């Protein structure tokens, strides 16, 4: 019994092999066998057609190419136009009532107010230090003017001493003393100039202290950076905030972005500014334009990120929803056929079998452009073609058929 089962399995494998991989040879053999079994019929057929050939009945559809929008189809998701976590920049406690998530905020609205503590006193102290530094400017300038006057006086004395020394009416000691006084006066000028620069530097330092104190006070109020809505509650009253602590998360959903990834084989068909449509999982249909196309491919998937900006005034689109995206591209000529009309030739190419001149079967490879529930759009066929839609699996190229035509799909 085991041997008989193995023999039956082997016979089934052989039959399946011939039906799947040697179908054309099997049909040709069947045609010759039928011709041998019916010599009279074969003779009559040969007399009518001029050659010995089996005629098979098929159903065909006359199809004409139509212009379609050859859109790039992607699967992506929605993404907020902007999203930011508003963080504290200083240490203090919250003294404002919290706002709850979902609330709408305008740019500049208060999110968190912190206890100022001693910061106003520090600001007043910095301003006083600045005034004190500014008051030293007149004194430093007066010292510089006095130093320049001493230089001028020393120059006069030195000139007189040199002339008297040259004529013999003045001593050498007096000349040397005048030169020393001149050098001392010049050193006094440099000292006065350094004092003036130091005073000015003190003013700049005091000004910086004032600005730092003012900035520290500004950090006590944390405001919304743009118009949007709160994705989280703001910090609770009495919470201790430190630099980097989260005050609130604000997102902007109008407009909103649709983000997808384009295969490298189709990236050249996508152009910034092209119109695009999308259908969300909720059934909502939206439309927008391509505003960004990445110039660098993802290292793992070899795809390019594309962003589509869509108006969302009613905030009906949420962040993170799945969307089927269609980006408009250049149109193409295509035929709309039933999915069942597609078949494979012996080389494994996808195509259709057609009725050619003299009702002889031919095979045309096709390119799948779009797949729908009603049928498929294919390219690569002549402008008008008779496609076999029933019986294409039982004929091969070169076989004569008797086609029955039916109306093409609209």
């Amino acid at each position: 019994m085991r041997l008989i089962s193995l023999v039956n399995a082997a016979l089934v494998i052989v039959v399946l092999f011939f039906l799947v991989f040697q179908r054309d040879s099997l049909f040709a053999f069947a045609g010759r066998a039928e011709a041998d079994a019916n010599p009279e019929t074969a003779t009559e057929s040969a007399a009518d057609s001029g050659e010995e050939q089996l005629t098979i009945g098929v159903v065909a559809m006359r199809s004409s190419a139509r212009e379609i929008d050859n859109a790039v189809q992607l699967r992506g998701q929605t993404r907020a136009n902007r999203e930011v976590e508003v963080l504290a920049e200083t240490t203090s406690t919250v003294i404002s009532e919290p706002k709850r998530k979902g609330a709408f905020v305008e740019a500049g609205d208060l999110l968190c107010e912190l206890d100022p503590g001693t910061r106003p006193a520090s600001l007043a102290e910095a301003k006083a230090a600045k005034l004190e530094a500014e008051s030293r400017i007149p004194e430093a300038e007066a010292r510089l003017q006095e130093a320049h006057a001493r230089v001028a006086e020393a120059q006069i004395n030195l000139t007189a001493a040199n002339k008297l020394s040259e004529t013999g009416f003045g001593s050498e000691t007096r000349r040397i003393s005048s030169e020393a006084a001149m050098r001392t006066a010049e050193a006094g000028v440099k000292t006065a100039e350094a004092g003036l620069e130091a005073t000015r530097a003190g003013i700049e330092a005091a000004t910086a202290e004032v600005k730092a104190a003012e900035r520290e006070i500004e950090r006590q109020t944390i405001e919304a950076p743009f118009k949007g809505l709160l994705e989280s509650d703001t910090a609770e009253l009495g919470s201790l905030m430190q630099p980097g602590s989260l005050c609130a998360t604000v997102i902007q959903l109008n407009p909103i972005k649709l983000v997808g990834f384009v295969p490298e084989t189709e990236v050249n068909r996508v152009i910034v500014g092209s119109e695009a449509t999308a259908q969300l999982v909720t059934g909502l249909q939206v439309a927008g334009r391509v505003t960004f196309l990445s110039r660098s491919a993802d290292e793992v998937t070899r795809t390019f990120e594309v962003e589509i900006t869509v108006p969302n005034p009613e905030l009906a689109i949420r962040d993170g929803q799945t969307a089927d995206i269609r980006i408009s591209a250049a149109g193409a000529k295509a035929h709309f056929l039933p999915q069942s009309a597609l078949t494979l030739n012996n080389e494994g190419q996808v195509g259709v079998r057609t009725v050619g001149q003299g009702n002889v079967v031919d095979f045309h490879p096709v390119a799948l452009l779009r797949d729908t529930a009603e049928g498929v759009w294919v390219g690569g066929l002549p402008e008008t073609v008779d496609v076999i839609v029933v019986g294409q699996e039982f004929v091969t190229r070169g076989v004569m058929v008797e086609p029955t035509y039916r109306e093409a799909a609209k």
Side-chain angles (χ1 to χ4, degrees):
M1 296 296 292
R2 188 185 186 93
L3 179 60
I4 293 175
S5 300
L6 292 176
V7 172
N8 290 337
L11 289 175
V12 171
I13 293 174
V14 171
V15 171
L16 289 176
F17 173 79
F18 278 101
L19 286 176
V20 176
F21 298 101
Q22 301 294 331
R23 182 179 58 191
D24 295 342
S25 300
L26 183 61
F27 288 155
F29 175 77
R32 288 195 298 270
E34 184 175 346
D36 294 340
N38 301 280
E40 295 180 359
T41 305
T43 302
E44 293 175 359
S45 176
D48 294 337
S49 62
E51 58 181 357
E52 186 178 351
Q53 189 172 14
L54 179 65
T55 302
I56 301 176
V58 295
V59 178
M61 180 183 73
R62 180 157 295 167
S63 175
S64 298
R66 287 178 277 176
E67 188 79 19
I68 65 168
D69 178 17
N70 192 15
V72 178
Q73 299 189 13
L74 312 172
R75 192 166 181 85
Q77 65 179 14
T78 60
R79 182 185 296 175
N81 186 43
R82 287 192 286 183
E83 180 175 354
V84 64
E85 293 182 341
V86 186
L87 307 178
E89 299 180 72
T90 188
T91 301
S92 189
T93 55
V94 179
I95 60 175
S96 59
E97 291 292 333
K99 297 180 183 295
R100 299 306 176 187
K101 55 187 175 182
F104 291 92
V105 294
E106 297 286 341
D109 282 359
L110 178 66
L111 299 179
C112 299
E113 184 178 2
L114 306 183
D115 184 9
T118 61
R119 290 173 179 84
S122 298
L123 176 60
E125 181 181 358
K127 289 182 176 179
K130 180 182 178 182
L131 291 175
E132 181 181 358
E134 291 174 345
S135 66
R136 294 174 182 171
I137 287 290
E139 181 182 356
E141 291 176 346
R143 289 177 180 175
L144 180 59
Q145 292 176 357
E146 181 182 358
H148 280 295
R150 289 177 180 175
V151 169
E153 181 183 358
Q155 182 66 44
I156 294 172
N157 293 334
L158 178 60
T159 301
N162 287 333
K163 289 183 178 180
L164 292 175
S165 178
E166 290 174 358
T167 57
F169 294 102
S171 64
E172 185 67 15
T173 303
R174 181 178 178 183
R175 185 184 66 80
I176 295 173
S177 177
S178 298
E179 290 177 352
M182 180 64 182
R183 287 193 292 269
T184 301
E186 291 174 347
V189 170
K190 293 181 178 180
T191 302
E193 290 176 346
L196 180 59
E197 291 298 325
T199 302
R200 290 173 177 170
I203 294 175
E204 293 180 358
T207 302
E209 289 291 335
V210 170
K211 290 182 178 179
E214 291 174 344
R215 180 67 182 125
E216 190 66 18
I217 289 180
E218 292 175 358
R219 290 171 178 167
Q220 305 310 301
T221 55
I222 304 176
E223 301 174 346
F226 51 80
K227 180 180 179 180
L229 57 87
L230 295 178
E231 189 66 8
S232 66
D233 293 340
T234 62
E236 189 62 52
L237 177 66
S239 299
L240 176 62
M241 305 292 286
Q242 296 179 344
S245 297
L246 178 64
C247 169
T249 300
V250 184
I251 63 174
Q252 186 182 69
L253 297 180
N254 183 32
I256 198 168
K257 295 179 182 177
L258 302 178
V259 181
F261 293 87
V262 184
E264 56 183 339
T265 55
E266 297 187 342
V267 67
N268 288 337
R269 297 173 55 204
V270 178
I271 301 174
V272 175
S274 299
E275 295 182 355
T277 59
Q279 181 174 356
L280 306 183
V281 291
T282 58
L284 180 64
Q285 298 278 351
V286 296
R289 289 188 177 275
V290 177
T291 53
F292 172 76
L293 178 61
S294 174
R295 291 286 180 177
S296 177
D298 185 275
E299 295 183 357
V300 177
T301 62
R302 310 308 303 169
T303 56
F304 296 81
E305 183 179 6
V306 60
E307 291 184 359
I308 300 159
T309 301
V310 176
N312 189 26
E314 303 298 328
L315 303 183
I317 309 173
R318 301 174 183 271
D319 182 25
Q321 288 184 287
T322 304
D324 292 322
I325 304 171
R326 296 180 70 253
I327 302 175
S328 298
K333 287 282 189 178
H335 291 261
F336 186 69
L337 304 175
Q339 294 180 351
S340 59
L342 301 179
T343 185
L344 297 175
N345 64 2
N346 291 337
E347 288 74 30
Q349 290 179 303
V350 178
V352 294
R353 289 190 170 91
T354 62
V355 179
Q357 188 175 6
N359 290 341
V360 176
V361 176
D362 196 3
F363 179 84
H364 291 275
V366 297
L368 296 178
L369 301 181
R370 189 183 304 168
D371 188 3
T372 67
E374 295 77 19
V376 292
W377 290 93
V378 299
L381 295 176
E383 186 74 19
T384 303
V385 64
D386 296 337
V387 180
I388 301 175
V389 295
V390 177
Q392 71 274 17
E393 300 295 342
F394 302 101
V395 295
T396 59
R397 174 180 287 180
V399 174
M400 183 173 290
V401 295
E402 292 183 356
T404 301
Y405 290 92
R406 78 178 188 187
E407 187 178 358
K410 299 297 183 183

